[in-house]
Each structure stands twice: as C-alpha cells, then as structure tokens.
Amino acid sequence: MNGGDDAAVTAGSGPPTSLEWRFSQVFGERTAGEEVQEVDIISAIEFDKSGDHLATGDRGGRVVLFERTDTKDHGGTRRDLERADYAIRHPEFRYKTEFQSHEPEFDYLKSLEIEEKINKIRWCQPTNGSLFLISTNDKTIKFWKVQEKKIKKVCDMNVDPSKAVGNGSLASSSKSSSPSQFVANGLYADGAHNDFSFPPGGIPSLRLPVVTSQETSLVARCRRVYAHAHDYHINSISNSSDGETFISADDLRINLWHLEISNQSFNIVDVKPANMEDLTEVITSAEFHPIHCNMLAYSSSKGSIRLIDLRQSALCDTHSKLFEEPEVPGSRSFFTEIIASISDIKFSRDGRYILSRDYMTLKLWDINMDSGPVATYQVHEHLRPKLCDLYENDSIFDKFECCLSGEGLRVATGSYSNLFRVFGVAPGSTEATTLEASKNPMRRQVQTPSRPSRSLSSITRVVRRGSESPGSDSNSNSLDFTTKLLHLAWHPTENSIACAAANSLYMYYA
C-alpha cells in the first residue's frame, strides 16, 4: 500500500485509529453442504441516503428490501443511540419485503436471451412515506414504488345481538319500529326526527357489511419501464442530485433519462467508432457527481476516468478532465490492459474524490489533480505471479466493487475466499484490515462459481478451457477463486458494511 499526504479526504489532527470490526447479522446463510441456487446469488447492494433501508438484487431478478430496526426498538433517535454503548446497540436490520423486478426475456429480432439478473439498484428520493428505487438488468430499467397499503376486510355485519330478529337484524336503531307512527316529511307523531333509516324503521332481514382496514401490507408497484435504449449490456445507473434525472451506461453509450418520462432518453456520451474494428476501449462504470447535477464521471477498460460537464454541449464527446496513471516504461505485458480495466468507480460524499477499483488495486483520485492518483492500495498484488492461471479460469475478468465511508476516511473492496479489505486514507494511516464474510471468520465456505457475463467489456477474451487453480494471499493462506466477494456497500453515516457472499448478506460494524 502506498499513499501520500494528499490522500486525506477529511483533514484532522492525526490519523484515526484502526477500527475493530465485528460481525452483526447474516441473512440467507446456508447450512454446511447446502448447494446455492444460481438464481439466489446476490448481484447488487445499495443503502439509501438515510441508511435506514438496504436493497439487494439477485440473479433471479428479485429485489429484497431490509429496514433498520434498532432505532425503533430502542425508542430513541439515532443521536441518542450514538451516545449509548455502540457495541451493544449495533445496527440491526430486518427483512421488509421482496418483489420480482425482472423476468427472463428473449429478443427474437437479435436471437438474444436477456437474463433477469439485477445489475444495479439505486434509491430515489422517498415521498409521503413511500420508497422509490430503480433497478436494471442488461437491457431494461424499472422504476419501483414501495408503499404500505391498508388491507380492507369485511370484518362484521351490522348485527346488534339485543335486536336480532331470526336470522337477520335491525338495520338501525329507531325510536319505534312501527311504521304506523310515521307521518309525512319524515316526522313522527311527536314531531321528532329520530329515525334516519330508509325505509323508516329499517328492514329486519337486511344485513349490511362493515368494511374496516386494520392491517397494512407492503405493495411494490412498477411505475415506469425504461426500455429499448441500449444495444449493449447496461453496467451502471446513477441518480442525479436534482432528484429528477438519472443516467444509464452500457459498453459504448451513456443515456440521460427523466424519471417521469420513459419513452425517450438523451444520448450524452457515445464512444462507438465508425468501424467497430477500431474499437479499443469500452465504458465500464458511470456515476453522477453527488452534489453538482451537471457533472458525471465514467471509467473505461483502459484504466482511465473521464469527468464531463453537461453544460459544455449536448453530446459530451470531449471530457473536461482525464484521470489516468502513466504507464511505467518496460512494464507492459499481455495482461496489462486486462488488469488495468476499471470495474467500479464511486464519488466521495463531498464529491471531491473518486475511488476506482481495477483488478489489482484501489486508487483514490482528487478531481482537482489529474496527474495521477493521490493514493494507491494494493489488493491483489500477491496474485501477480498467477495471472496466467487467473486468465485461464476467467477470474481475471471478475468485476469487484468498491465503496467509501460516509466521512471519507476509509475505503473498502472485496477479494477471493469471501474476503473484503478496509484501508484508511487519512495522512499517516496504516490501517489495512482483512475480514472474511462469515459468522466464523476461520471457516471456509465452498460456493458455486459465478462467472461474469460475456460482453464487449471483455474484448480481449478468447475461447478457452476453464480450470480452477488455487492461489494464496499475502499471508500464504490458500485462496478459493470460486468464492468471491464482488458486491459491498458502506452505510452513509456510520461505520457499517453490508457485503454479499453468494446468496448470503453479511453485516459488519465497527
């Protein structure tokens, strides 16, 4: 790991102490020897802005929502909880609801099978107690509304036991049940308007149902479908800070959408060459700036990040800034471009920094300094001698995600054997923690191998035999390339991480 003094996202009096991470919860843990179904493998994780809700998507096209409960169960505000013993009242989530977001499809015009797998989930601004989010598979984006609805039930009939007549009942209580006392204009003999039933006195055999709504149920409804705008696989969606628009990116194009308009989008980036044989790089990830709705960044398979300003032109063919690390002379090899491909980028919360993940490293970039990253964190350097084996078993094409803590003092990413690593980025910090996603960190779990979908982003790929080759980490521990922690998310305001190992969702806190 190396980094400079510029690596601090938040200035402080000194480097913060290393965090002690503890296991919090697990959802969907398997018993020993239990096989994992392909459709149950988690493929996306996302916290909402408040951190009170968490969404996961899986390869079966399902979206599962979790909600935080410790703030409710203890009857206090989050500030009260922070004052309390955090080790006792750690973040707790519970299952909220799930719904089928996408179904498998077949494009008959292109003879193309479209998987239902959820590639990305992004939360939108909640309104009137309802939750909104967008989810996407390879081709279609959907806008979902999740709200509580009262269940209406016919719970009773208007039966008054004291006035029951046979099998029926009096429809209403009146001064007298004798119709003979009724006079014109609804007046009784004594001139009082005491009977408002119709007909006067009621019908003894008439029973009217009483509808009540006591229970509530969560209902997910698809509000809009944004389809037919991408020729290639969608790898990213990102909400704008204006709360009204979002972008979607595939291998060659980035489109701008309005949440309320599903039948048209604007193509703002197009890197497709006139001749596809001239194609040298593809878009791998894209994200809006968290504060400025006119700025966004996207990464490429050549290891570069481009910052673009939507105010410059309608089609952003030119970038306002380019971030790439200069190549070391004499270091080029067959694997150079493959391992340089950026699989994920994330803005820091204040928008000042961009975190990128390629196969070997995490890099932190200052958007005001395009000469090179301000810090580089080695994740897979110990695998460099095994690149041939990793190429043969397709592991070299695995796309690991990355995330930053809310205050920007730490970064995290995943690795093999269900490991994830946390690094400190403050000046002088030597924090580098490795944990295994498991209730028992010493236990090794065997999982179904998950191969990445074949798309334009693997333009250097060739047909070859698949094989599995064991490796080892920097501590000489054996690595299992069939188990990989690709997806993780950091709580926006607290030191809490959610990470996915196959079909299991693990929660850690510090």
Side-chain angles (χ1 to χ4, degrees):
M1 178 181 74
N2 59 50
D5 291 342
D6 295 328
V9 177
T10 303
S13 56
T17 56
S18 296
L19 296 178
E20 181 183 347
W21 290 91
R22 302 178 181 91
F23 169 79
S24 175
Q25 289 175 281
V26 59
F27 297 94
E29 189 184 29
R30 311 184 307 291
T31 57
E34 181 184 350
E35 281 194 26
V36 179
Q37 298 296 320
E38 179 81 9
V39 294
D40 294 331
I41 295 177
I42 297 173
S43 56
I45 302 179
E46 184 79 1
F47 279 104
D48 70 348
K49 281 190 176 181
S50 69
D52 290 337
H53 292 92
L54 175 67
T56 66
D58 62 26
R59 295 189 177 190
R62 294 183 298 263
V63 172
V64 183
L65 303 185
F66 301 88
E67 66 176 348
R68 186 158 180 181
T69 59
D70 53 305
T71 52
K72 300 176 182 177
D73 294 344
H74 293 91
T77 64
R78 188 172 290 112
R79 184 171 296 177
D80 295 332
L81 290 173
E82 288 172 355
R83 295 194 188 105
D85 185 356
Y86 195 65
I88 297 175
R89 296 182 176 181
H90 60 78
E92 291 180 2
F93 285 80
R94 70 180 174 195
Y95 169 86
K96 186 177 180 74
T97 187
E98 68 180 78
F99 56 90
Q100 188 71 33
S101 175
H102 288 73
E103 300 280 358
E105 300 176 52
F106 190 82
D107 188 334
Y108 291 95
L109 293 177
K110 298 180 179 179
S111 295
L112 181 67
E113 187 176 348
I114 304 172
E115 294 181 348
E116 67 273 34
K117 185 188 85 165
I118 305 297
N119 291 342
K120 294 289 180 181
I121 297 173
R122 292 291 180 264
W123 290 90
C124 304
Q125 293 179 353
T127 306
N128 296 330
S130 299
L131 302 174
F132 295 89
L133 49 87
I134 51 178
S135 60
T136 184
N137 64 352
D138 286 339
K139 296 290 183 181
T140 305
I141 307 161
K142 295 186 178 182
F143 181 42
W144 291 92
K145 177 182 182 180
V146 181
Q147 64 179 144
E148 287 190 349
K149 281 198 170 182
K150 291 184 177 179
I151 303 175
K152 294 184 178 180
K153 287 185 177 181
V154 178
C155 67
D156 201 357
M157 296 291 186
N158 56 333
V159 178
D160 186 347
S162 63
K163 297 185 178 180
V165 180
N167 292 329
S169 68
L170 292 178
S172 63
S173 175
S174 61
K175 183 176 180 180
S176 172
S177 61
S178 173
S180 61
Q181 292 181 316
F182 182 76
V183 191
N185 297 326
L187 291 175
Y188 280 88
D190 58 1
H193 290 272
N194 284 346
D195 192 348
F196 297 100
S197 60
F198 183 84
I203 300 176
S205 62
L206 181 64
R207 298 175 61 189
L208 300 177
V210 178
V211 179
T212 63
S213 53
Q214 296 175 344
E215 299 179 12
T216 59
S217 173
L218 280 167
V219 178
R221 188 163 64 92
C222 184
R223 294 282 304 275
R224 284 175 191 85
V225 177
Y226 314 89
H228 313 298
H230 288 277
D231 291 330
Y232 306 101
H233 291 177
I234 299 171
N235 56 49
S236 304
I237 50 176
S238 179
N239 302 85
S240 170
S241 58
D242 62 14
E244 296 180 351
T245 56
F246 69 94
I247 55 170
S248 59
D250 65 21
D251 292 324
L252 296 179
R253 292 189 175 98
I254 300 178
N255 293 333
L256 178 67
W257 302 82
H258 194 285
L259 278 169
E260 301 296 325
I261 302 171
S262 60
N263 58 0
Q264 72 172 355
S265 63
F266 299 95
N267 179 224
I268 56 175
V269 175
D270 189 349
V271 300
K272 184 178 181 180
N275 185 354
M276 284 293 284
E277 292 182 0
D278 298 331
L279 181 65
T280 58
E281 66 178 329
V282 294
I283 299 168
T284 58
S285 182
E287 184 166 271
F288 255 121
H289 191 281
I291 298 173
H292 304 300
C293 59
N294 60 288
M295 294 174 62
L296 61 94
Y298 69 91
S299 59
S300 81
S301 58
K302 278 195 169 181
S304 61
I305 301 172
R306 290 173 173 84
L307 193 68
I308 61 176
D309 192 333
L310 297 176
R311 297 172 298 185
Q312 291 181 345
S313 65
L315 184 62
C316 302
D317 287 330
T318 58
H319 50 267
S320 56
K321 283 189 179 179
L322 174 66
F323 305 95
E324 60 183 357
E325 197 166 20
E327 189 175 309
V328 179
S331 64
R332 190 167 185 83
S333 71
F334 173 77
F335 303 109
T336 299
E337 280 197 18
I338 301 176
I339 63 176
S341 177
I342 296 175
S343 56
D344 190 28
I345 59 171
K346 291 286 194 312
F347 274 100
S348 61
R349 194 174 184 182
D350 60 3
R352 171 75 184 275
Y353 293 83
I354 299 175
L355 180 68
S356 67
R357 170 70 202 267
D358 56 41
Y359 189 71
M360 305 297 283
T361 63
L362 271 175
K363 291 175 182 173
L364 192 67
W365 306 79
D366 187 331
I367 66 170
N368 297 326
M369 192 179 84
D370 54 7
S371 59
V374 294
T376 300
Y377 308 94
Q378 302 294 345
V379 181
H380 283 162
E381 186 60 30
H382 54 280
L383 295 179
R384 194 172 291 276
K386 304 179 183 299
L387 290 179
C388 286
D389 294 335
L390 295 165
Y391 181 81
E392 283 299 319
N393 63 29
D394 271 3
S395 294
I396 202 169
F397 299 103
D398 288 334
K399 295 173 172 58
F400 292 92
E401 293 180 358
C402 59
C403 57
L404 299 95
S405 61
E407 83 286 351
L409 290 177
R410 293 171 181 86
V411 296
T413 190
S415 181
Y416 294 105
S417 296
N418 290 341
L419 301 176
F420 66 98
R421 307 200 69 192
V422 181
F423 300 97
V425 302
S429 174
T430 58
E431 181 176 358
T433 308
T434 302
L435 300 104
E436 182 186 10
S438 169
K439 289 176 71 174
N440 178 1
M442 302 305 294
R443 186 183 66 206
R444 285 283 187 262
Q445 297 177 338
V446 179
Q447 297 169 357
T448 307
S450 56
R451 290 174 177 254
S453 58
R454 296 179 179 269
S455 67
L456 276 178
S457 56
S458 52
I459 54 180
T460 59
R461 190 180 306 209
V462 294
V463 178
R464 56 195 170 277
R465 294 193 309 273
S467 62
E468 301 299 338
S469 174
S472 60
D473 61 16
S474 55
N475 298 321
S476 299
N477 297 320
S478 61
L479 285 179
D480 182 2
F481 292 136
T482 64
T483 57
K484 56 199 76 174
L485 198 149
L486 301 175
H487 311 286
L488 75 171
W490 202 302
H491 191 284
T493 59
E494 298 170 1
N495 287 320
S496 175
I497 293 178
C499 52
N503 68 322
S504 302
L505 175 67
Y506 289 92
M507 309 287 291
Y508 283 82
Y509 73 101

